[in-house]
């Protein structure tokens, strides 16, 4: 287990890097990560516009078996996708247009939704970390020096004891 320098609380963390070659690969990564998620999980997605954050979330939604097409919630800020079965709902938030921290996010009542849902926040850096000591931070970067525009390097940073326990699941 390593200490994440971007983790100001000094909590335990686990970091795994994965190469993804296509949008379909990004969706499949989401599908692969979905079984690791449980009600109360906070997932933060970081990456430039067009990096694949929503595509990854689409795979998470498919793996969680939620209702409705997972699309970017940029203009509505947040979408709730209820479960089709016994699993948790997916709350998909796009904080791109929100400038403040958790105070500005309070109107979304994420703290109320979190215990029974999986909450995925795009552009949540510096805005939602206080919602949970345990969280999965996914950073999506374009592969450096690669001429293929679809290649990405995905860094999964599981912060907190819950993710330390799930290390093997992240490393698959």
């Amino acid at each position: 287990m390593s200490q994440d320098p971007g983790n100001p609380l000094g909590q335990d963390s686990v970091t795994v890097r994965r190469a993804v070659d296509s949008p379909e690969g990004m969706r499949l990564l989401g599908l692969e990560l979905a079984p690791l998620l449980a009600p109360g999980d906070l997932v933060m997605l970081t990456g430039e516009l067009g990096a694949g954050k929503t595509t990854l979330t689409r795979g998470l939604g498919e793996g969680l078996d939620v209702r409705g097409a997972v699309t970017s919630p940029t203009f509505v800020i947040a979408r709730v996708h209820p479960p089709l079965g016994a699993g948790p709902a997916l709350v998909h938030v796009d904080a791109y247009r929100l400038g403040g921290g958790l105070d500005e996010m309070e109107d979304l009542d994420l703290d109320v939704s979190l215990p029974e849902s999986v909450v995925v926040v795009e552009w949540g850096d510096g805005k939602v970390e206080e919602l949970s000591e345990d969280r999965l931070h996914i950073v999506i970067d374009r592969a450096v020096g690669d001429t293929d525009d679809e290649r990405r390097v995905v860094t999964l940073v599981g912060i907190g004891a819950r993710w330390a326990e799930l290390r093997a699941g992240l490393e698959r």
Side-chain angles (χ1 to χ4, degrees):
M1 200 168 335
S2 64
Q3 206 65 321
D4 176 22
N7 181 359
L9 300 176
Q11 299 164 312
D12 289 331
S13 67
V14 57
T15 301
V16 176
R17 284 185 180 68
R18 307 273 292 269
V20 176
D21 292 330
S22 66
E24 177 62 8
M26 191 66 73
R27 185 189 69 79
L28 290 173
L29 177 59
L31 196 59
E32 181 183 327
L33 292 172
L36 300 176
L37 299 175
D41 280 342
L42 173 64
V43 179
M44 295 171 48
L45 300 178
T46 301
E48 61 189 48
L49 288 171
K53 296 179 297 296
T54 299
T55 301
L56 182 111
T57 306
R58 190 170 297 122
L60 291 174
E62 185 179 334
L64 292 171
D65 193 26
V66 297
R67 186 178 64 200
V70 175
T71 59
S72 178
T74 299
F75 296 105
V76 295
I77 309 295
R79 273 198 180 92
V80 177
H81 297 275
L84 291 172
L90 172 67
V91 178
H92 185 198
V93 179
D94 187 329
Y96 183 74
R97 295 185 308 136
L98 302 177
L102 189 58
D103 291 341
E104 189 171 338
M105 302 286 288
E106 278 185 8
D107 289 341
L108 299 177
D109 287 332
L110 294 180
D111 55 337
V112 173
S113 300
L114 188 59
E116 70 267 356
S117 305
V118 170
V119 176
V120 177
V121 183
E122 297 183 26
W123 305 98
D125 292 11
K127 298 174 185 171
V128 296
E129 290 89 343
E130 295 173 28
L131 285 174
S132 179
E133 289 182 11
D134 295 306
R135 58 192 174 275
L136 179 60
H137 189 175
I138 301 175
V139 179
I140 305 169
D141 292 305
R142 293 190 190 279
V144 177
D146 197 327
T147 57
D148 182 355
D149 195 41
E150 300 298 330
R151 290 186 43 90
R152 304 287 190 267
V153 175
V154 180
T155 305
L156 307 164
V157 182
I159 299 169
R162 171 163 158 60
W163 292 102
E165 292 171 11
L166 291 172
R167 178 185 200 118
L170 291 175
E171 291 177 334
R172 282 192 267 164

